[in-house]
């Protein structure tokens, strides 16, 4: 897997393991901002990852107190759970949880 695709998949896996925000799609602009990779390269990598069956695009309606909006973006598929990037993101999340739960 190319380096950019791997970075993008890792970012999506991190997002999917986020307790609070994982139900929302993450946009290519957000991925670009998080990784400091140009958006055009992110979009190319997302298209390749989608063709590989590792990610999917989806929409979610966010209903707030003042207004509602449609969020467009990306998420991982079940196939992405078997990738090294998912395993890295999972280990990072477990470390974070462990540090939050420690009583030291």
């Amino acid at each position: 897997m190319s380096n950019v695709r791997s970075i993008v998949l890792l970012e999506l896996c991190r997002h999917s393991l986020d307790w609070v925000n994982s139900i929302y799609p993450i946009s290519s602009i957000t991925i670009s901002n998080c990784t400091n990779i140009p958006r055009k390269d992110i979009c190319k990598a997302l298209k390749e990852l989608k063709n590989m069956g590792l990610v999917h695009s989806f929409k979610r309606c966010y209903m707030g107190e003042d207004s509602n909006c449609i969020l467009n973006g990306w998420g991982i598929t079940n196939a992405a759970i078997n990738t090294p990037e998912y395993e890295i993101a999972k280990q990072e999340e477990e470390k974070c949880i462990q540090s939050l739960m420690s009583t030291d």
Side-chain angles (χ1 to χ4, degrees):
M1 189 177 305
S2 79
N3 192 36
V4 173
R5 277 190 305 214
S6 182
I7 292 168
V8 170
L9 182 58
L10 178 59
E11 196 61 38
L12 283 166
C13 289
R14 286 176 176 147
H15 179 75
S16 75
L17 291 166
D18 184 331
W19 289 5
V20 178
N21 295 311
S22 63
I23 62 168
Y24 299 111
I26 184 171
S27 71
S28 59
I29 294 170
T30 302
I31 297 170
S32 177
N33 290 338
C34 290
T35 61
N36 293 320
I37 297 172
R39 186 166 175 253
K40 67 178 181 73
D41 295 337
I42 298 294
C43 291
K44 180 181 175 187
L46 286 167
K47 184 177 180 180
E48 292 169 355
L49 288 166
K50 186 174 184 175
N51 289 338
M52 296 168 70
L54 297 174
V55 303
H56 65 101
S57 57
F58 70 103
K59 299 176 183 187
R60 174 80 37 138
C61 179
Y62 173 76
M63 298 178 10
E65 290 183 21
D66 298 330
S67 64
N68 301 333
C69 64
I70 302 291
L71 304 173
N72 297 306
W74 297 86
I76 63 170
T77 63
N78 287 337
I81 293 171
N82 300 318
T83 62
E85 291 81 6
Y86 187 86
E87 191 58 38
I88 291 167
K90 183 179 171 187
Q91 289 173 3
E92 290 173 356
E93 188 66 19
E94 287 172 352
K95 247 187 207 178
C96 182
I97 292 167
Q98 215 171 28
S99 70
L100 290 171
M101 299 298 177
S102 70
T103 57
D104 296 342

